[in-house]
Amino acid sequence: MYTIIIFTICLGILIFVHEFGHFIMARLKGIRVLKFSLGFGPKIIGKKVGDTEYVISALPLGGYVKMAGENLEEATMAPDEFPSKSVGDRASVVLAGPVMNIIIAFLLMPLVFLIGIKMPAFLEKSPVVAWIEEGSPAQMAGILVGDRIIKIDGKPVSNWEDVTTVISTRPELGIKIDVERGDSVQEAVLKNNDKGSKAGSGYAGMLPDMPAVIGKVSKGYPAERAGFRAGDRIVEVDNNTVVNWYQVSSYIRSNAGKELTLTVKRDEQKVTAKVTPVKDETAGHGIIGIMNRQETIVRKFGLIDSVKHGISKALELTLLTVDVLKRLVSMNISIETLGGPIMIAKLTGEAAQSGFSDLIAFLAFLSLQLGVLNLLPIPVLDGGWVVFLIIEKIKGSPLNRKTMEVAQTVGFALLIMLIIVVSYNDILRVFR
């Protein structure tokens, strides 16, 4: 319920900001606005000021703007109606919604750095490889434990944050890695791997140092039944000494149905228990229901640095979003990587529980996504309306209404299909 409430509030804010962009630009262009509603559905309360009725509606999922003449059947072509304005004025009104979402993202992101960012401590550490997963792209590329990553696709990297940012947004991989090995520099190419594509994010299998400390034990799983607790440090698995978390994880994943002996250090005592991993049918590997404990740090910045880092991060996210869209269109990335309403709601709830800074960052990211996606040239989206207006400008007259209706119907059908697909992806992720 908490997740649903937070998601509803955040989505409502973002859509309201979008509609406010349309509203303010319409007023600036001298277009009569009949109604500006906060929310949808039945009116709860409203007040008319001048020509505009300001309304609070029952469903708090955003809002809408109704402009005079927006419905062509009701248009009288009065000077203050939407259709009577120039193509440029109408385009500015249409574009104002997504542009407002993008502006809000650029305003929110510096606030995140000012409040402080909570992040895993290892992200600030030098990208020295501490573990290579069996059969991973990193292993196949010849990367070894102890290698220090110095460049990715020719761009220098200084910490694990740089590395994970690139890899997580490249499910298809094909990334060139330069590593420092002793006194020499070696070059390797991470090739595509089905595991990354199915997960919806890049997977390399080269990992930082991570202590084998249990952070969470899931109820109803073998680890809980065996008596393991949060805070236990795993020191042995089947009498083999453990040096990091990935060693434990890899062993458990590859031994579904086989009884294992785990030894943990709890306070000053050693506790040994037997546990049998169960097979996760969707993921196809063994699990016992434990998560690792990650050390986190909060990084804060001054006002000027917050603005610089915030704008830089917003630009980076914008370019990543555009890059992902380009690769989707060119079919270089699977549609399985996309998340829909369920995943967005889940991530919103997790961000809210993680802290105010994380929630603001996620809100900024969503606003950016909403803005960029609405610029796509698909009928029913703002970008589609801009295409109609460009065609009108070129041919000197509006498109045939029937043509526009057909195009919008096709666009709406495509949008519904996309929502169904990403929702299906979400459901699969939830069960995984």
Side-chain angles (χ1 to χ4, degrees):
M1 181 57 72
Y2 174 79
T3 295
I4 294 173
I5 292 171
I6 293 295
F7 172 65
T8 301
I9 292 171
C10 290
L11 184 63
I13 290 171
L14 295 183
I15 299 177
F16 177 75
V17 165
H18 182 95
E19 294 302 327
F20 182 75
H22 292 312
F23 169 77
I24 202 70
M25 186 57 71
R27 293 294 298 268
L28 288 172
K29 296 299 180 181
I31 298 170
R32 183 160 39 97
V33 178
L34 303 177
K35 183 181 287 188
F36 183 28
S37 175
L38 174 58
F40 295 101
K43 179 174 74 174
I44 296 176
I45 188 173
K47 182 177 177 61
K48 191 166 186 179
V49 179
D51 296 316
T52 307
E53 183 182 16
Y54 298 89
V55 174
I56 296 177
S57 300
L59 299 175
L61 292 173
Y64 65 91
V65 173
K66 183 178 180 182
M67 294 175 285
E70 189 176 343
N71 186 342
L72 293 178
E73 294 178 354
E74 301 174 356
T76 63
M77 298 308 291
D80 60 355
E81 289 187 344
F82 181 75
S84 66
K85 297 298 179 179
S86 69
V87 169
D89 284 348
R90 282 179 282 155
S92 64
V93 173
V94 172
L95 288 171
V99 168
M100 183 64 81
N101 280 124
I102 294 171
I103 289 172
I104 288 297
F106 274 78
L107 292 175
L108 286 177
M109 201 56 79
L111 182 60
V112 174
F113 287 87
L114 193 61
I115 296 170
I117 301 174
K118 185 168 71 174
M119 55 188 291
F122 79 83
L123 289 177
E124 285 196 326
K125 295 179 180 178
S126 179
V128 176
V129 179
W131 184 257
I132 301 288
E133 290 196 335
E134 192 73 26
S136 66
Q139 185 188 56
M140 292 186 286
I143 294 174
L144 304 176
V145 170
D147 286 350
R148 186 170 74 87
I149 304 164
I150 56 175
K151 288 183 181 179
I152 299 181
D153 282 343
K155 182 181 178 182
V157 294
S158 60
N159 54 38
W160 276 107
E161 183 178 13
D162 295 338
V163 175
T164 56
T165 297
V166 176
I167 291 176
S168 65
T169 56
R170 297 281 293 274
E172 79 289 0
L173 293 184
I175 302 172
K176 187 176 79 172
I177 304 283
D178 290 343
V179 299
E180 190 176 72
R181 184 180 300 163
D183 296 328
S184 64
V185 174
Q186 307 289 325
E187 185 179 289
V189 177
L190 299 179
K191 295 183 180 179
N192 197 8
N193 184 287
D194 288 340
K195 181 175 179 179
S197 298
K198 289 177 181 178
S201 62
Y203 162 74
M206 53 183 186
L207 303 161
D209 184 34
M210 188 75 69
V213 179
I214 298 174
K216 180 181 178 181
V217 179
S218 299
K219 291 184 178 180
Y221 281 84
E224 185 196 35
R225 293 194 291 269
F228 293 113
R229 305 174 189 172
D232 287 349
R233 178 185 290 270
I234 303 171
V235 293
E236 289 183 3
V237 178
D238 282 349
N239 297 318
N240 297 310
T241 301
V242 169
V243 294
N244 62 48
W245 176 266
Y246 306 111
Q247 198 173 354
V248 178
S249 174
S250 179
Y251 200 83
I252 291 171
R253 290 157 76 97
S254 59
N255 283 284
K258 179 183 175 182
E259 187 179 72
L260 309 179
T261 302
L262 268 64
T263 300
V264 302
K265 190 172 182 181
R266 183 179 300 161
D267 299 325
E268 297 303 318
Q269 295 183 331
K270 281 190 175 181
V271 178
T272 299
K274 296 185 181 298
V275 60
T276 303
V278 294
K279 187 175 182 180
D280 184 325
E281 295 298 335
T282 304
H285 58 66
I287 57 174
I288 63 172
I290 57 174
M291 292 177 63
N292 66 306
R293 185 172 72 187
Q294 288 192 9
E295 179 188 351
T296 60
I297 58 172
V298 176
R299 191 195 298 175
K300 292 185 178 182
F301 299 83
L303 180 60
I304 294 175
D305 283 340
S306 293
V307 172
K308 286 165 57 179
H309 286 298
I311 292 175
S312 176
K313 178 59 72 174
L315 282 171
E316 179 187 331
L317 291 173
T318 303
L319 293 174
L320 284 172
T321 301
V322 172
D323 183 52
V324 168
L325 288 173
K326 281 167 56 182
R327 286 186 278 129
L328 275 170
V329 172
S330 60
M331 301 187 74
N332 288 325
I333 186 175
S334 172
I335 199 169
E336 291 181 3
T337 62
L338 298 180
I342 298 172
M343 182 55 62
I344 293 171
K346 179 177 179 291
L347 293 175
T348 303
E350 290 176 356
Q353 291 177 341
S354 182
F356 185 64
S357 177
D358 287 348
L359 180 60
I360 294 295
F362 191 66
L363 193 63
F365 180 62
L366 280 183
S367 188
L368 189 62
Q369 299 267 304
L370 184 61
V372 172
L373 292 177
N374 258 286
L375 292 173
L376 293 177
I378 300 173
V380 310
L381 296 180
D382 292 325
W385 276 104
V386 172
V387 172
F388 290 157
L389 291 170
I390 291 173
I391 294 172
E392 179 181 335
K393 183 70 174 178
I394 293 171
K395 68 190 291 281
S397 61
L399 271 174
N400 179 277
R401 203 167 97 188
K402 183 68 176 176
T403 302
M404 292 176 65
E405 288 175 354
V406 171
Q408 286 179 321
T409 301
V410 172
F412 183 74
L414 289 173
L415 205 58
I416 292 298
M417 286 175 60
L418 181 62
I419 291 172
I420 291 172
V421 170
V422 297
S423 297
Y424 174 73
N425 291 344
D426 286 350
I427 292 169
L428 288 184
R429 287 190 184 102
V430 168
F431 281 106
R432 282 172 189 161

